[in-house]
Amino acid sequence: MSVLPNTTTRGAGRRWPLYALVAVALVALALGVEALLREENFAPRKEILSTSVRDVIVSPENSLYPPPDTNRFQGPPETVFVYLSVEGLPSGEDMEARAQRAESGSVFRMFFGEGAGLEVLDEQEDQLSKAENGATGIVKFALKTDSGEPLPPGNYTVEVYGPGDADGGGEPAVRKSFVVEKA
């Protein structure tokens, strides 16, 4: 009579939840470290890549002429107005703006938090005069959430594309970064 050895071990089938829990914790830790590093490396800045754009300003003020530039908002504004000072712009009608937000917060918020949708509204009166070399003046547009609530805290980047650049994957004419802090 041959006896087969008992090769089964107790609890071997119950270890997978522990491994899964450790894996989830490691992924959450990696995402938290990445978010922290991204937040530390973010600095408000402006990049003007087009010769037609002279300056870009963001402000919570809706005024006829550009107010002082705001790189850090001390609390969530209802609307952020973006002012472009242009000179010799080939066509002011074909410009397109895009905005995105990098949220700074907890790992749980990144997984389960509701992201506020941003929309760029061009309902503002542009103050442009036409000349031989193109349009000159101020182009203004507004950045809001699509829910109508104030902009949530985070790091924002607005990119404005010139005629033909937005759909062709080209470089933006202007890139402006700013921070909205918690109240």
Side-chain angles (χ1 to χ4, degrees):
M1 182 171 188
S2 79
V3 177
L4 295 175
N6 185 3
T7 59
T8 61
T9 58
R10 284 191 202 186
R14 289 181 260 165
R15 289 188 188 165
W16 73 266
L18 178 64
Y19 294 138
L21 200 60
V22 168
V24 167
L26 288 175
V27 167
L29 180 65
L31 287 174
V33 168
E34 188 269 335
L36 180 67
L37 292 175
R38 180 181 53 210
E39 185 176 321
E40 287 179 1
N41 290 336
F42 187 86
R45 67 180 190 279
K46 73 171 101 173
E47 294 177 69
I48 300 175
L49 305 169
S50 171
T51 58
S52 300
V53 178
R54 299 291 177 220
D55 198 11
V56 58
I57 293 171
V58 295
S59 175
E61 296 177 38
N62 183 11
S63 66
L64 196 54
Y65 294 101
D69 196 13
T70 307
N71 287 323
R72 291 191 174 277
F73 294 87
Q74 298 302 318
E78 297 261 340
T79 304
V80 171
F81 294 94
V82 180
Y83 299 84
L84 294 178
S85 176
V86 297
E87 184 177 317
L89 186 66
S91 173
E93 303 302 321
D94 296 328
M95 296 181 81
E96 180 181 325
R98 297 180 187 164
Q100 65 185 48
R101 175 177 70 104
E103 183 175 354
S104 56
S106 70
V107 175
F108 293 112
R109 189 174 205 182
M110 289 179 4
F111 281 123
F112 304 112
E114 281 281 321
L118 299 174
E119 57 185 1
V120 178
L121 305 173
D122 187 24
E123 299 171 353
Q124 309 301 313
E125 287 292 321
D126 296 336
Q127 298 169 337
L128 296 173
S129 61
K130 307 286 183 190
E132 292 177 11
N133 62 347
T136 301
I138 304 296
V139 176
K140 180 172 74 169
F141 59 90
L143 176 63
K144 292 183 169 190
T145 60
D146 51 5
S147 66
E149 296 178 6
L151 271 69
N155 301 328
Y156 289 80
T157 301
V158 176
E159 294 179 334
V160 180
Y161 292 86
D165 288 336
D167 53 359
E171 284 289 315
V174 175
R175 185 177 294 126
K176 175 73 174 168
S177 302
F178 59 94
V179 176
V180 174
E181 297 175 348
K182 295 178 184 174

